Amino acid sequence: MAPEIDQQFKPLAPTAYRIRSDEDEALYMQQKLCRRRCIKCCGCFTALFLILAVVLLVLAFTVFHIKDPVIRMNSVTLQHLNLTTSTATVLADVSVKNPNAVAFRYGNSTTIVYYREERVGEGTIPHGKAKARRTQRMNMTMYIMLDKIFSAPSYGNDSSSGALPMSTFTKLSGRVKILKISKKNVVVQMNCTLTYNVMSQAIQDKKSCRSRVNL
């Protein structure tokens, strides 16, 4: 009579198959570890990229954002009046305010003096620079031709009233440059109105100055 075979008995896997399975499992774990490292590296690079983007965005709205310079005429003083040569010398205190993080460089500029609509004199602002977030102050000498004022049709009425309405126009051209990343050419124009007192021979009532920036 043939011996009975145990139905629950399972033959052991061949040795070569077990070795192959161990190698596959080790390879799988190594690939899994590599994937984790790749994910971590990608995450780090993404975080660095986002941080760099935020920093550049902040710089774009702060340091790299170029603001418009401001020019002001703080005071105007009559220095000398020569009736023999029909000339007058006027000293103006002018300031250039630079709100940027780098210097504002400007070239030679001219201020034109008007009596009503007649051009009667001019002055020159020498080239220079306003340092970062600073205000550059300077004195400008203007020379006025009195004969042009005396020959104006409205001079008689204005001198009788004791006040001569005057105005000035200043044009300042320059450039703001941040490294080689950002630069901006700026033209600042300023119009001022003032009054010359005939009796006191003084410039007074500097009513207003309006500035405009052209790019």
Side-chain angles (χ1 to χ4, degrees), residues 32-95:
K32 188 176 181 181
L33 182 61
C34 289
R35 283 197 298 270
R36 288 181 179 178
R37 290 178 178 175
C38 290
I39 292 173
K40 288 182 180 180
C41 290
C42 291
C44 291
F45 281 120
T46 303
L48 289 175
F49 177 78
L50 292 176
I51 292 173
L52 181 61
V54 171
V55 170
L56 291 177
L57 186 62
V58 172
L59 290 176
F61 284 97
T62 54
V63 178
F64 293 156
H65 177 64
I66 298 177
K67 301 176 183 178
D68 296 330
V70 179
I71 181 173
R72 287 190 177 93
M73 187 172 291
N74 304 304
S75 64
V76 182
T77 306
L78 178 63
Q79 278 198 319
H80 183 67
L81 184 64
N82 192 330
L83 296 178
T84 303
T85 59
S86 295
T87 58
T89 304
V90 177
L91 185 66
D93 177 15
V94 181
S95 63

Side-chain angles (χ1 to χ4, degrees), residues 7 36 60 70 76 116-117 133 140 143 153 156 159 178 191:
Q7 299 295 329
R36 288 181 179 178
V70 179
V76 182
R116 292 197 178 273
E117 296 181 358
R133 297 191 176 96
M140 176 182 60
Y143 300 96
S159 60
I178 301 177
N191 291 280

Side-chain angles (χ1 to χ4, degrees), residues 121-142:
E122 66 179 34
T124 302
I125 300 176
H127 69 277
K129 70 175 181 178
K131 296 181 180 180
R133 297 191 176 96
R134 295 290 187 273
T135 299
Q136 176 72 19
R137 299 191 69 163
M138 68 200 80
N139 290 326
M140 176 182 60
T141 302
M142 297 181 290

Side-chain angles (χ1 to χ4, degrees), residues 5 11 18 25 31 36 38 51 60 73 76 81 87 98 104 109 113 150 186 188 192 195:
I5 300 175
R18 290 199 303 270
E25 184 177 358
Q31 292 176 347
R36 288 181 179 178
C38 290
I51 292 173
M73 187 172 291
V76 182
L81 184 64
T87 58
N98 178 23
F104 168 58
S109 304
V113 183
F150 297 153
V186 179
V188 185
C192 294
T195 301

Side-chain angles (χ1 to χ4, degrees), residues 165-181:
M166 311 286 290
S167 63
T168 63
F169 172 74
T170 304
K171 183 178 180 180
L172 188 72
S173 301
R175 172 182 289 186
V176 178
K177 186 177 181 181
I178 301 177
L179 301 177
K180 294 185 179 180
I181 301 175

Side-chain angles (χ1 to χ4, degrees), residues 115-116 157-165 195-199 204:
Y115 166 59
R116 292 197 178 273
N157 293 332
D158 290 336
S159 60
S160 298
S161 66
L164 303 182
T195 301
Y196 173 73
N197 190 302
V198 178
M199 297 300 296
Q204 60 185 28

